[in-house]
Structure formats: structure tokens, C-alpha cells
Amino acid sequence: MREMNITVLGTGLMGLPMGKRLQEAGFTVTAWNRTREKALRLASHGARVAHTATQAAREADVVITMLEHGDAVDAVLFGQDVASVLKPGALVIDMSSIKPAEARRHAQRLAESGVGHLDAPVSGGTVGAEAGTLAIMVGGELADFERALPVFAPLGRATHVGPHGAGQLAKLANQMIVGITIGAVSEALLLCAKGGADIAKVRDAIRGGFAESRVLELHGQRMVENDFAKRAALTVQLKDLRNALETATDLQFNAPVTQLFEALYTSAAEHGLAEMDHSALFRELARQNGMGL
């Protein structure tokens, strides 16, 4: 399996460490990125760098896309003709976070050319990508999932959750929980600060109880330190909440909690926090409460 040719399309914050781990695992990796300099960073780890996405994908057994949104995935696969050069039996693993309906459309179009497709978005951020501990949520045919397991292994823990589009549904669920929990931790700590408590000690006091979570552990620490340097952009969190609401509308599902937090993250973006970490919702809630933190 290590003789498999893997192409990585999109070598940004997540694609770069993922490509590095695949190369280190012994796969033959070819990389492409719209900004070529980003792809060249993989060359020092032994990967080949292609000038175009089509060139990168021509000999691939597996193509991994890690792009910003569904329109970008569509543009690369079909607008730049990647799909047309893939050999029959190749497998596209889209690890971007896009809408479930988009994933289903991509799978159908690729199937017409004899190419397999999995939607396999991830959670764990750059830390998980670097450590190979990503949670990978996979939708598609079970047979395609099973043949992709050696590819997933260096990247993290993969779980098959259903047919095409189901991986993206699971990612939306993940992002709903993360975004809402960031808001809960922010509001709770700000309430304590307003009342005169030391929020660093409050965070320590409630850890290990029922309020414990990765968000309280990691994002809560960022709030204590007032460190909102971008790890996962607030704009991406907002995009995912909007995708969740659009999907909910398609399914005739009422999601009032997600609607509330979409409005809060929108307000945060409108008040200059768009390119900060999504935990910067803390600052927006502080602003709404007249707290100059």
C-alpha cells in the first residue's frame, strides 16, 4: 500500500502537516496549491510539487482535497479539469469542510467517470494534523472507506458514518458543538469576571467536573490569557454554522440554538474579529457587556 501515489490538493494550515505525515509514512506524495510557495514547503520533506492541479492528479491513486469551501473544491475538481484526468478506479477523498449536498453532487459526478469519492472532513485543528490525531468523519461507500484506511492511518482516527454526505453532516455536528460551547465558556467566564472572580482560578475550579471539555481546556486558556491568535478562524466557524443552518432548512429541521450563535459570530466578524481565532467570540461578548477585556 505504501507504493500508492497520493496527491494533496491544498497545502495550507491543515494540508501541509497532513501531506508531511503521509510522506513520512512512506507514500509517494505529490502536492499542489494555488499559491505555489505553500506547496514547495512539502518539497523539503520529499514530496513532489506540481505546477497545476491537473498535473498533480494525473497519475494519482488517491487525491486528497483540503480546500477552503465547497466552491473551491468544485472549481479544482471540475473547473480545473482534475476529474477528467483521473484514472478509472482512482479515489478522491475530500477532507475539506463543505455542505453535505455539495459532497453528494461531487460523488455523483465522479462516479460517472468511474472514480470513487469519500467526504472525510476532520476535527482536531493544526495540532491534530501535526500529531496525526485527527478525528476523521467519513461518508461514502464502505468498500472505498476500507481501501482508504491505510491513507487515514497516519492522519488520525477514521470512522465511517454513512453514505455520501454523511461525513459532512458529522462535521457540521462537530462545529455546532464547538461553536456553541465556545460561547458557553465565554459567557460563563465573563459573568465571573463581571462579578469580581479570577477567571483563571474559576476555570481551574470547574475543570474535571461535568463542565470539562476540550473547549474549556484549550479555548478557555486562550480566554484567560487574552490570546486570540488564529488557530481556527472565526470566519471558518461562521461558515460552518451557516452551512449547518442551510442544511437544517433543507431537512426541515429547526435549529434555534445554532441560529442564535450564527448571529453572535456574525456580530463578532462585523466588529473586527473575523481573522482571529474562533475563541475570540469571548471579546464580542465582552464588548456587548461593556467590558474592556
Side-chain angles (χ1 to χ4, degrees), residues 189-210:
L189 292 181
L190 285 165
L191 174 68
C192 292
K194 190 79 167 181
D198 182 328
I199 64 171
K201 292 183 178 178
V202 169
R203 174 180 166 276
D204 289 342
I206 62 178
R207 292 207 55 203
F210 276 11

